[in-house]
Every structure is written in structure tokens, then in C-alpha cells.
Amino acid sequence: MLDMAVEYSRQRQVGGEPLGNLQAIQIKLADMATELQAARLMVYHAAWLGDQGKSMIKEASMAKLFATEMVNRAAYQTLQIFGGMGYMKETQVERIARDVRVLTIYEGTSEIQRITIGRKLLSNT
């Protein structure tokens, strides 16, 4: 989604200038990139703990919670950047935005991830 939003922001002209010249678009892209980096690092950290033979249940739940909610925010922001074109099947944005919603549901809903994290925090394990 980030790559598509960046490319579209470079190509789409508004008032004779690239859409990406607008600060509001730059802010959306910056937030998406920052959250993507944070999600990656959370996944890497949980994987590293697992590789070390340490408990990583809390960290894996935190990574899943953050990453799946982040990708939904990124999908929404990408739709905002694309505007009406985001709903056209030719852009793939509409399908991805629709499909990412399920990520917060299967393999443990966001609420279940929060419960797991809370329990681990309270158990000191």
C-alpha cells in the first residue's frame, strides 16, 4: 500500500503539481512509513526472542496487533490519497483495502491479542 501511495503521489497531478507536493499527503506517507518500520521491528524482535529460545508470546501478540491494525490504517490512508480512483478495480487498492480487514480477525482478533498481552503483563512471565 505504501509503495502504491508513493508512486501515485508522484504521478498524480493536482493544479499542475504532483499530489505528493501537498504537505497533507506527505504527512500521510510519513505516518504509513513510520508505522510500517515499527511493525517490522516488532516482528523481528519477537522472532529474535523465539530464536533465542525465550518466551515471545507477548511480543508476538503485540506485533500481530500492531501490524494488522497498522495495515488497516495504511489501507484507509491509501484510499484517501487515491480518492475516487482508489475504488476502481484497475488500481488494486480497493481489493487490498477490502482484504486487509480480515487480518484483525483471523489467527486471533485484535481483542484476543490485547487480552493475551494484558495477561502476560500481569503474570510477570
Side-chain angles (χ1 to χ4, degrees):
M1 297 296 283
L2 176 61
D3 291 343
M4 288 190 295
V6 167
E7 187 59 31
Y8 186 78
S9 297
R10 287 180 180 146
Q11 293 178 359
R12 175 78 166 102
Q13 296 287 310
V14 176
E17 293 192 30
L19 180 65
N21 284 1
L22 297 173
Q23 287 181 343
I25 301 302
Q26 294 169 10
I27 289 168
K28 289 178 189 309
L29 295 173
D31 286 347
M32 290 167 59
T34 301
E35 287 192 340
L36 176 60
Q37 180 68 7
R40 282 183 179 139
L41 292 173
M42 291 176 82
V43 169
Y44 296 156
H45 179 67
W48 178 83
L49 287 172
D51 286 348
Q52 301 301 309
K54 298 178 180 178
S55 174
M56 44 84 92
I57 293 170
K58 178 183 69 172
E59 289 77 8
S61 289
M62 292 169 80
K64 191 218 185 255
L65 171 66
F66 185 81
T68 58
E69 292 198 352
M70 175 276 301
V71 77
N72 276 277
R73 288 188 297 274
Y76 176 80
Q77 293 301 337
T78 301
L79 280 171
Q80 291 296 107
I81 290 169
F82 271 73
M85 285 299 295
Y87 288 95
M88 306 300 290
K89 290 187 186 219
E90 294 80 14
T91 65
Q92 298 181 17
V93 174
E94 67 85 25
R95 180 189 54 80
I96 294 170
R98 185 172 19 93
D99 289 351
V100 298
R101 180 65 186 109
V102 75
L103 297 175
T104 59
I105 298 169
Y106 72 79
E107 296 295 327
T109 66
S110 292
E111 291 76 16
I112 295 298
Q113 299 307 323
R114 286 182 172 94
I115 290 168
T116 300
I117 295 162
R119 285 182 179 161
K120 286 307 238 179
L121 288 169
L122 293 170
S123 72
N124 286 329
T125 61

